[in-house]
Amino acid sequence: MLSIFSDEYFMKEALKEAQKAFNEDEVPVGAIVVCDNKIIARAHNMTERLNDVTAHAEMLAFTSATDFLGGKYLSECTLYVTLEPCVMCAGASYWTQLKKIVFAASDEKKGFERISPSLLHPKTQIVKGILETEAVKLIKSFFHKKRN
């Protein structure tokens, strides 16, 4: 049974956002920001819809979360994202001073850990691999659909 307020519970919520992106023909990445066990922001990739290369799920979630909190820092918050953040999103997370990043699938091509693992704020904790199978399946399905 899935316990409420677990990493798996919140990652399932991020996967719902990724499914929205998939349905909108966007790369299926979803993100949520959690503070005090409450989801304060939800987002999914919208780069095609907004014609904006910076409209990654994480970036949109950061904006929504800081608007909700009324300040620019997310030092008591956790980002749940279905794919390892890219360098841009990892850099933005540094400036928000996130407490923790939990991601499902590693991004072997563009993930920050392969390019510059020191991009995160020194206080930011990382947890990876939560519901990785589900996230990878959605991403592979999207790109398979694009190729065919």
Side-chain angles (χ1 to χ4, degrees), residues 17-35:
E17 289 297 317
Q19 184 64 53
K20 289 179 188 176
F22 183 93
N23 295 345
E24 295 171 10
D25 206 29
E26 298 272 1
V27 175
V29 177
I32 64 167
V33 176
V34 175
C35 194

Side-chain angles (χ1 to χ4, degrees), residues 30-84:
I32 64 167
V33 176
V34 175
C35 194
D36 294 327
N37 289 323
K38 179 181 178 184
I39 298 171
I40 63 167
R42 296 175 174 274
H44 56 277
N45 273 1
M46 296 181 76
T47 60
E48 299 300 323
R49 181 177 182 191
L50 298 176
N51 196 30
D52 179 356
V53 296
T54 68
H56 290 195
E58 300 96 320
M59 301 295 280
L60 298 171
F62 293 155
T63 299
S64 182
T66 55
D67 283 350
F68 179 86
L69 294 174
K72 61 185 177 180
Y73 298 115
L74 302 174
S75 57
E76 295 302 315
C77 300
T78 299
L79 170 72
Y80 289 86
V81 62
T82 59
L83 185 65
E84 176 185 351

Side-chain angles (χ1 to χ4, degrees), residues 11 15 82 103-106 128-141:
M11 188 60 74
L15 281 165
T82 59
F103 64 85
S106 294
K128 46 189 164 183
I130 304 296
L131 302 181
E132 179 178 19
T133 302
E134 293 87 335
V136 168
K137 181 179 175 186
L138 189 59
I139 290 167
K140 285 186 175 182
S141 175

Side-chain angles (χ1 to χ4, degrees), residues 95-108:
W95 295 108
T96 68
Q97 300 181 14
L98 273 173
K99 180 179 180 178
K100 186 163 109 177
I101 296 174
V102 180
F103 64 85
S106 294
D107 185 342
E108 296 172 11

